[in-house]
Amino acid sequence: MIRILVAEHLPLVRRGLVASLEGESDLTVVADVGSGEDIVPAALDVRPDAAVVDADLPGADGPSLAARLVEKAPRCRVMLLSAQPNPGHLKRAFAAGALGYLSIEVGPEQLADGIRRIIAGRRVVDSELAVAALEAAECPLTPREHEVLRLAAGGARSKEIAAELGLSAGTVRNHLSRVLVKTGARNRVDAVRIATEYGWL
């Protein structure tokens, strides 16, 4: 029996995922949570074989959640589901240690089969998204620049970003200046737009 943790912020969608997975004879949901901050504690508590995680949880970043799970619960295989899958997120998810990345619109059978495949150590991804990822431009941003831009995209000001990352406001402004140069953007709003279009955010 494959033990699964489900993380999805929308109660109705979460219940649907749980019911769908519980309908499979070899799958069982041992925990379900509604926020990113509850994922690791739940994984440490119930020790699941796999985690099915909404990559778009509010206030959370799918690849970062995958990295935390891989670090804290290395026996747990991670499958990310996204409402807006894009090549940049796919690359970051796999780099973070996730083994699966699918659209949340996949059918129940495809999700169940995907879980079985990641348990076997294989990677699972939508074929069209895999092709797009191969064709997508590489992200020119450093991990720190990416983090700064991600927080800026959420509406945080330089001082707030500095406090969040333990940096000075001047260092944050320097990172943002380099982001503008690397993306060819006119301002931070334009940089967010460009990064989103290329799948870097």
Side-chain angles (χ1 to χ4, degrees), residues 148-173:
V148 168
L149 185 59
R150 184 180 70 81
L151 291 171
R157 299 178 183 274
S158 294
K159 287 184 179 180
E160 295 168 330
I161 296 171
E164 174 78 16
L165 300 180
L167 303 172
S168 70
T171 299
V172 169
R173 285 192 292 272

Short mmCIF file of all heavy atoms in Angstrom, two decimals, residues 148-173:
data_model
loop_
_atom_site.label_atom_id
_atom_site.label_comp_id
_atom_site.label_asym_id
_atom_site.label_seq_id
_atom_site.Cartn_x
_atom_site.Cartn_y
_atom_site.Cartn_z
N VAL A 148 14.60 37.34 -4.74
CA VAL A 148 14.26 38.76 -4.61
C VAL A 148 13.13 39.12 -5.58
O VAL A 148 12.16 39.79 -5.20
CB VAL A 148 15.50 39.64 -4.87
CG1 VAL A 148 15.10 41.11 -5.04
CG2 VAL A 148 16.50 39.51 -3.72
N LEU A 149 13.23 38.66 -6.81
CA LEU A 149 12.20 38.98 -7.80
C LEU A 149 10.88 38.30 -7.44
O LEU A 149 9.80 38.89 -7.62
CB LEU A 149 12.64 38.54 -9.20
CG LEU A 149 11.69 38.92 -10.35
CD1 LEU A 149 11.50 40.43 -10.41
CD2 LEU A 149 12.20 38.38 -11.67
N ARG A 150 10.92 37.09 -6.91
CA ARG A 150 9.70 36.39 -6.51
C ARG A 150 8.97 37.18 -5.42
O ARG A 150 7.75 37.34 -5.47
CB ARG A 150 10.03 34.98 -6.00
CG ARG A 150 8.79 34.16 -5.65
CD ARG A 150 9.17 32.78 -5.16
NE ARG A 150 9.78 32.82 -3.85
CZ ARG A 150 9.12 32.91 -2.70
NH1 ARG A 150 7.80 33.01 -2.69
NH2 ARG A 150 9.76 32.92 -1.55
N LEU A 151 9.72 37.69 -4.45
CA LEU A 151 9.10 38.48 -3.38
C LEU A 151 8.57 39.81 -3.93
O LEU A 151 7.51 40.27 -3.53
CB LEU A 151 10.10 38.72 -2.26
CG LEU A 151 10.49 37.46 -1.45
CD1 LEU A 151 11.64 37.77 -0.52
CD2 LEU A 151 9.29 36.93 -0.68
N ALA A 152 9.33 40.41 -4.86
CA ALA A 152 8.87 41.65 -5.48
C ALA A 152 7.59 41.41 -6.27
O ALA A 152 6.68 42.25 -6.28
CB ALA A 152 9.96 42.21 -6.40
N ALA A 153 7.49 40.25 -6.91
CA ALA A 153 6.29 39.92 -7.68
C ALA A 153 5.07 39.82 -6.77
O ALA A 153 3.94 40.07 -7.20
CB ALA A 153 6.49 38.60 -8.42
N GLY A 154 5.30 39.47 -5.51
CA GLY A 154 4.20 39.39 -4.55
C GLY A 154 3.83 40.73 -3.95
O GLY A 154 2.96 40.80 -3.08
N GLY A 155 4.50 41.80 -4.40
CA GLY A 155 4.16 43.13 -3.95
C GLY A 155 5.03 43.67 -2.83
O GLY A 155 4.80 44.79 -2.34
N ALA A 156 6.04 42.91 -2.40
CA ALA A 156 6.91 43.36 -1.31
C ALA A 156 7.81 44.50 -1.77
O ALA A 156 8.32 44.49 -2.89
CB ALA A 156 7.75 42.20 -0.79
N ARG A 157 8.02 45.48 -0.90
CA ARG A 157 8.93 46.59 -1.18
C ARG A 157 10.35 46.16 -0.80
O ARG A 157 10.54 45.15 -0.13
CB ARG A 157 8.52 47.83 -0.39
CG ARG A 157 7.12 48.33 -0.73
CD ARG A 157 6.75 49.54 0.11
NE ARG A 157 5.39 50.00 -0.16
CZ ARG A 157 5.08 50.83 -1.13
NH1 ARG A 157 6.02 51.30 -1.92
NH2 ARG A 157 3.83 51.21 -1.31
N SER A 158 11.33 46.97 -1.21
CA SER A 158 12.72 46.62 -0.97
C SER A 158 13.01 46.37 0.50
O SER A 158 13.70 45.41 0.86
CB SER A 158 13.65 47.72 -1.51
OG SER A 158 13.57 47.80 -2.91
N LYS A 159 12.48 47.23 1.39
CA LYS A 159 12.73 47.06 2.82
C LYS A 159 12.11 45.76 3.34
O LYS A 159 12.69 45.07 4.18
CB LYS A 159 12.17 48.25 3.60
CG LYS A 159 12.98 49.52 3.45
CD LYS A 159 12.42 50.64 4.33
CE LYS A 159 13.26 51.91 4.20
NZ LYS A 159 12.73 53.02 5.04
N GLU A 160 10.94 45.41 2.82
CA GLU A 160 10.28 44.17 3.24
C GLU A 160 11.05 42.95 2.74
O GLU A 160 11.20 41.96 3.46
CB GLU A 160 8.84 44.14 2.72
CG GLU A 160 7.96 45.23 3.33
CD GLU A 160 6.64 45.38 2.61
OE1 GLU A 160 6.58 45.13 1.39
OE2 GLU A 160 5.66 45.78 3.28
N ILE A 161 11.54 43.04 1.50
CA ILE A 161 12.35 41.94 0.95
C ILE A 161 13.63 41.78 1.76
O ILE A 161 14.04 40.67 2.09
CB ILE A 161 12.68 42.22 -0.53
CG1 ILE A 161 11.41 42.24 -1.38
CG2 ILE A 161 13.65 41.17 -1.07
CD1 ILE A 161 11.61 42.70 -2.81
N ALA A 162 14.24 42.90 2.10
CA ALA A 162 15.47 42.88 2.90
C ALA A 162 15.23 42.19 4.24
O ALA A 162 16.03 41.35 4.67
CB ALA A 162 15.99 44.30 3.11
N ALA A 163 14.13 42.54 4.90
CA ALA A 163 13.82 41.94 6.19
C ALA A 163 13.56 40.44 6.06
O ALA A 163 14.01 39.64 6.89
CB ALA A 163 12.61 42.63 6.81
N GLU A 164 12.85 40.07 5.00
CA GLU A 164 12.52 38.65 4.77
C GLU A 164 13.76 37.81 4.53
O GLU A 164 13.86 36.67 5.01
CB GLU A 164 11.57 38.55 3.57
CG GLU A 164 11.26 37.14 3.12
CD GLU A 164 10.22 36.46 4.00
OE1 GLU A 164 9.52 37.15 4.76
OE2 GLU A 164 10.13 35.22 3.92
N LEU A 165 14.73 38.36 3.78
CA LEU A 165 15.91 37.58 3.39
C LEU A 165 17.15 37.87 4.25
O LEU A 165 18.20 37.28 4.03
CB LEU A 165 16.25 37.87 1.91
CG LEU A 165 15.15 37.51 0.90
CD1 LEU A 165 15.60 37.85 -0.51
CD2 LEU A 165 14.78 36.04 1.01
N GLY A 166 17.01 38.78 5.22
CA GLY A 166 18.15 39.09 6.07
C GLY A 166 19.25 39.86 5.34
O GLY A 166 20.44 39.67 5.60
N LEU A 167 18.83 40.74 4.43
CA LEU A 167 19.77 41.54 3.65
C LEU A 167 19.55 43.02 3.96
O LEU A 167 18.54 43.39 4.58
CB LEU A 167 19.54 41.31 2.14
CG LEU A 167 19.64 39.87 1.64
CD1 LEU A 167 19.20 39.82 0.17
CD2 LEU A 167 21.06 39.35 1.79
N SER A 168 20.47 43.86 3.50
CA SER A 168 20.25 45.30 3.61
C SER A 168 19.39 45.75 2.43
O SER A 168 19.34 45.09 1.39
CB SER A 168 21.59 46.05 3.58
OG SER A 168 22.15 45.98 2.28
N ALA A 169 18.71 46.87 2.60
CA ALA A 169 17.87 47.40 1.51
C ALA A 169 18.72 47.72 0.30
O ALA A 169 18.29 47.54 -0.85
CB ALA A 169 17.11 48.63 1.99
N GLY A 170 19.95 48.20 0.54
CA GLY A 170 20.85 48.51 -0.58
C GLY A 170 21.21 47.27 -1.38
O GLY A 170 21.27 47.31 -2.62
N THR A 171 21.43 46.15 -0.69
CA THR A 171 21.75 44.89 -1.38
C THR A 171 20.56 44.43 -2.22
O THR A 171 20.72 43.96 -3.35
CB THR A 171 22.14 43.80 -0.36
OG1 THR A 171 23.30 44.23 0.36
CG2 THR A 171 22.43 42.48 -1.05
N VAL A 172 19.36 44.59 -1.68
CA VAL A 172 18.16 44.21 -2.43
C VAL A 172 18.04 45.07 -3.69
O VAL A 172 17.75 44.56 -4.77
CB VAL A 172 16.90 44.36 -1.56
CG1 VAL A 172 15.63 44.25 -2.40
CG2 VAL A 172 16.90 43.31 -0.46
N ARG A 173 18.29 46.38 -3.55
CA ARG A 173 18.21 47.26 -4.72
C ARG A 173 19.26 46.85 -5.77
O ARG A 173 18.98 46.88 -6.97
CB ARG A 173 18.39 48.71 -4.31
CG ARG A 173 17.16 49.30 -3.61
CD ARG A 173 17.25 50.81 -3.46
NE ARG A 173 18.30 51.21 -2.52
CZ ARG A 173 18.10 51.33 -1.20
NH1 ARG A 173 16.90 51.10 -0.69
NH2 ARG A 173 19.10 51.70 -0.42
#
